[in-house]
Amino acid sequence: MLIGSFMYINMNKEKWIFITIIATCIVSVALAYYIFVIMSKEDVALSSFF
Amino acid sequence: MKNLKNYIKHILSHFSFAFWGGFCVWTISFFLPYVILGEDSYIRIHDTLEGELVWLHIMKQNGVMHSLLNEVKIAQLMHGLPRNVMPSGFTFIANICNVFGIFYGYIIGQYILKTIGYFSFYLFIKKYMTLPRLNENVLVATSLLLTSIQFFTPFGLSVMGMPLLAFGFARLYYNKKSLATLLIFFTFPFFSSFVWSGIEMIILFNIYLVYLVIIKHDHVMKWIYAWMAFCIGTVLANVQFIYGMLFLKGFRSHRVAYNLYTEMPNFGRTISEFIGFFFSTHYHISIFISLLIFVLFLISYFGIEKNKWSKNIMKAIFLIVLWQAFYPFIEFLISDITFIKSFRFNRFAFLLPFLWFLILLISMNSIAKYRIWLRKTIPLIIFSQFLILFFSNDETAHNYKKLIGIDNFPSFKEYLALNSFSEIKKIAPPSIENKVISIGMSPTIAQYHGYSSLDGLFSVYDLGYKLEFRKIFEKELQKSNWKKKEYFDNWGNRCYIFPAELQMETVANNMCSNDKEKLRYLELNMEQFKKMGGKYIFSAAEILNAKSMNLNLLKRISPANAYWVIYVYQYE
């Protein structure tokens, strides 16, 4: 996704950066939700993940 | 009086209306769950309820919080743990817990520490950063992000106070010599942890002084004054620990037997640790997921404008993470130097959350260059980062989940079994002579209730004692896999009984809660237990072969809605 965005950066930089930022926001939040909310359903200490 | 009024007016003029709005939001959102839930709130277990926080309670109960003498021992712990191997009693968090008790002290302390972070980060941004394209609301929202991060309150300002230290450094750099600057450096150690940031800050400070003198040939006196203020503050704040470390006689720390790397560390694992540290920092520092900020850095630096500060900060992050990831190699290669083994000089990661936030600000400033599309993404970036920090902040997330009734983690009251121990005290009254060990649950729970324990989690205790304690469950270690044996023998801060039938993480992950586990073949050396003064065993797992060890089950304690079912055994 990121590499693709940079490949087209010269064609329409602002648009591609915009799409990359939106996608990264979604992916990062989803990842955090998966790790900390879904995976931590058991009584497991936080440190066990890391 | 007029001067004071003018001074207060001058101070308040630094803060905007949006800043105070943010402060109100932060205050309400912080206290809301604690006010509603009270002692049913969640407080982190790892190294907090399981360790540091309860140590403060024990020191208060034993009246040794501020004692200075090396001869002072805490009779309740092991065979009399020297007070001076415990954390300092002169720090902010120790004293606030001393006054308000550990529950309220912890909450008030955390609020004050995060508020200091919020104020100092805002001041640092406003005074010493050039971010012309970001409006006031963005600066306030980014400062608020700092209050959302997960951090270990017992370690004080070690993470949260980095903007304050940066503010102090910036004042020195711009020649703003004043008592206030020196005061920042002097008081910081009283609010932070000697181990987690004190030693590391002094090392970094020394490197910078050498750089100034040898390379930059700069005027060095103002830095030396600040360095002295910091060092004097560090010594005074940690006088008990330093005095104990230098002059405690007849005591050999178990840390000298640390042997964490018995063979050359695996390179592949080091690389994966590097990636882990880079994208999630370190759990003792803060679970700080940096993926979004890293991508923003790549986009803004390579796609929009090359900001030299952003590049330099990224280099610093890279170096810190590299040092942290590859430190096992250093520790392995110089494992004969006890001092290095004991201190573990890999704790520079406390700088990372602040550095990541600086990159976030600089990147957003670059992104805001484009007015049509990209500027509109800034609120989304901040909101996304907030969500990431919210999810990864175990305390906030659990407390808000508790508010809506979907959380299954133990609250403060449940974890410390406040209801159960009123009953336990009737059948097995606490006394210094009748010592206790805990199985399947943290020994700090019994310690919190005034029991004298043979086991415990301590960062420093006597090596000789560790070897004696090992004899009690030697057979269990022989039956266990190598991992458990190495965990105790080569590290051993958790001086617990590790039954072979239970997983090593049993206590850390509360696996014995709600009567989930049973022990069928437990083999303890009861003669050694008796020799060390043992009388009771509090077990969260029923010991089915108790009779074979002359253990008499006094009672199964299980009040309604209790998190632990505690079996109280007495050695006959």
Side-chain angles (χ1 to χ4, degrees), chain B residues 186-230:
Chain B
F186 177 73
T187 52
F188 188 85
F190 289 90
F191 284 78
S192 58
S193 158
F194 178 57
V195 174
W196 282 96
S197 63
I199 299 166
E200 292 78 2
M201 271 312 301
I202 290 172
I203 292 172
L204 291 177
F205 220 140
N206 288 347
I207 293 171
Y208 189 62
L209 283 178
V210 170
Y211 164 78
L212 284 176
V213 173
I214 296 175
I215 299 169
K216 221 180 165 198
H217 306 293
D218 198 10
H219 174 62
V220 83
M221 280 319 287
K222 59 181 180 183
W223 297 100
I224 288 182
Y225 288 138
W227 177 83
M228 281 170 65
F230 192 86

Side-chain angles (χ1 to χ4, degrees), chain B residues 187-391:
Chain B
T187 52
F188 188 85
F190 289 90
F191 284 78
S192 58
S193 158
F194 178 57
V195 174
W196 282 96
S197 63
I199 299 166
E200 292 78 2
M201 271 312 301
I202 290 172
I203 292 172
L204 291 177
F205 220 140
N206 288 347
I207 293 171
Y208 189 62
L209 283 178
V210 170
Y211 164 78
L212 284 176
V213 173
I214 296 175
I215 299 169
K216 221 180 165 198
H217 306 293
D218 198 10
H219 174 62
V220 83
M221 280 319 287
K222 59 181 180 183
W223 297 100
I224 288 182
Y225 288 138
W227 177 83
M228 281 170 65
F230 192 86
C231 290
I232 293 168
T234 302
V235 171
L236 290 178
N238 302 286
V239 64
Q240 294 154 309
F241 185 74
I242 294 169
Y243 183 50
M245 198 169 61
L246 296 176
F247 302 109
L248 194 60
K249 285 176 185 160
F251 180 88
R252 191 166 156 78
S253 167
H254 79 289
R255 295 175 85 96
V256 301
Y258 268 12
N259 194 12
L260 301 181
Y261 303 99
T262 45
E263 52 190 52
M264 183 64 105
N266 181 298
F267 191 75
R269 187 175 155 74
T270 306
I271 296 294
S272 77
E273 285 206 343
F274 176 86
I275 295 167
F277 289 144
F278 191 82
F279 286 111
S280 66
T281 317
H282 184 277
Y283 69 87
H284 272 131
I285 302 297
S286 160
I287 304 292
F288 190 92
I289 305 295
S290 56
L291 177 67
L292 175 60
I293 301 176
F294 181 62
V295 174
L296 290 177
F297 163 77
L298 291 179
I299 291 169
S300 61
Y301 187 78
F302 294 105
I304 302 173
E305 62 184 7
K306 293 200 182 323
N307 184 302
K308 72 164 185 173
W309 280 104
S310 147
K311 186 176 84 177
N312 289 338
I313 294 169
M314 186 51 78
K315 274 185 193 169
I317 291 176
F318 194 80
L319 271 177
I320 291 169
V321 175
L322 202 67
W323 174 258
Q324 178 120 4
F326 281 83
Y327 190 78
F329 285 92
I330 298 169
E331 208 162 275
F332 173 73
L333 293 171
I334 51 174
S335 57
D336 292 335
I337 306 172
T338 311
F339 176 68
I340 304 276
K341 265 198 309 189
S342 302
F343 258 106
R344 312 200 71 193
F345 293 97
N346 62 344
R347 290 163 170 168
F348 293 94
F350 66 92
L351 284 161
L352 292 178
F354 176 57
L355 296 180
W356 279 118
F357 276 131
L358 292 183
I359 289 192
L360 174 68
L361 279 165
I362 297 167
S363 303
M364 287 197 298
N365 188 54
S366 300
I367 287 165
K369 189 178 170 185
Y370 292 93
R371 287 168 180 271
I372 304 166
W373 285 76
L374 289 184
R375 188 172 274 200
K376 289 173 191 162
T377 61
I378 287 176
L380 178 75
I381 291 168
I382 293 175
F383 183 65
S384 302
Q385 189 59 40
F386 166 74
L387 282 181
I388 294 165
L389 296 174
F390 180 80
F391 293 145

Side-chain angles (χ1 to χ4, degrees), chain B residues 31-44 49 103 107 395 398-399 402 407 409-415:
Chain B
F31 282 113
L32 186 71
Y34 294 117
V35 169
I36 296 173
L37 296 168
E39 285 187 341
D40 288 320
S41 313
Y42 171 84
I43 283 187
R44 182 172 306 111
L49 277 185
F103 180 71
I107 295 165
E395 288 193 326
H398 287 309
N399 277 324
K402 277 190 189 300
D407 194 60
F409 273 60
S411 65
F412 173 82
K413 199 175 168 181
E414 288 171 331
Y415 185 77

Side-chain angles (χ1 to χ4, degrees), chain B residues 168-180:
Chain B
F169 276 109
R171 281 176 69 92
L172 279 179
Y173 187 82
Y174 291 107
N175 289 317
K176 293 202 171 182
K177 285 182 237 168
S178 73
L179 201 62

Side-chain angles (χ1 to χ4, degrees), chain B residues 383-452:
Chain B
F383 183 65
S384 302
Q385 189 59 40
F386 166 74
L387 282 181
I388 294 165
L389 296 174
F390 180 80
F391 293 145
S392 59
N393 188 336
D394 58 328
E395 288 193 326
T396 317
H398 287 309
N399 277 324
Y400 274 90
K401 277 161 85 178
K402 277 190 189 300
L403 280 181
I404 52 174
I406 57 165
D407 194 60
N408 60 354
F409 273 60
S411 65
F412 173 82
K413 199 175 168 181
E414 288 171 331
Y415 185 77
L416 290 176
L418 299 189
N419 292 339
S420 305
F421 269 86
S422 53
E423 208 171 326
I424 294 174
K425 280 178 182 175
K426 288 177 196 162
I427 52 168
S431 74
I432 294 297
E433 293 78 30
N434 297 331
K435 297 196 181 291
V436 169
I437 56 171
S438 302
I439 295 177
M441 57 193 279
S442 169
T444 52
I445 299 171
Q447 289 162 2
Y448 177 83
H449 292 282
Y451 284 91
S452 177

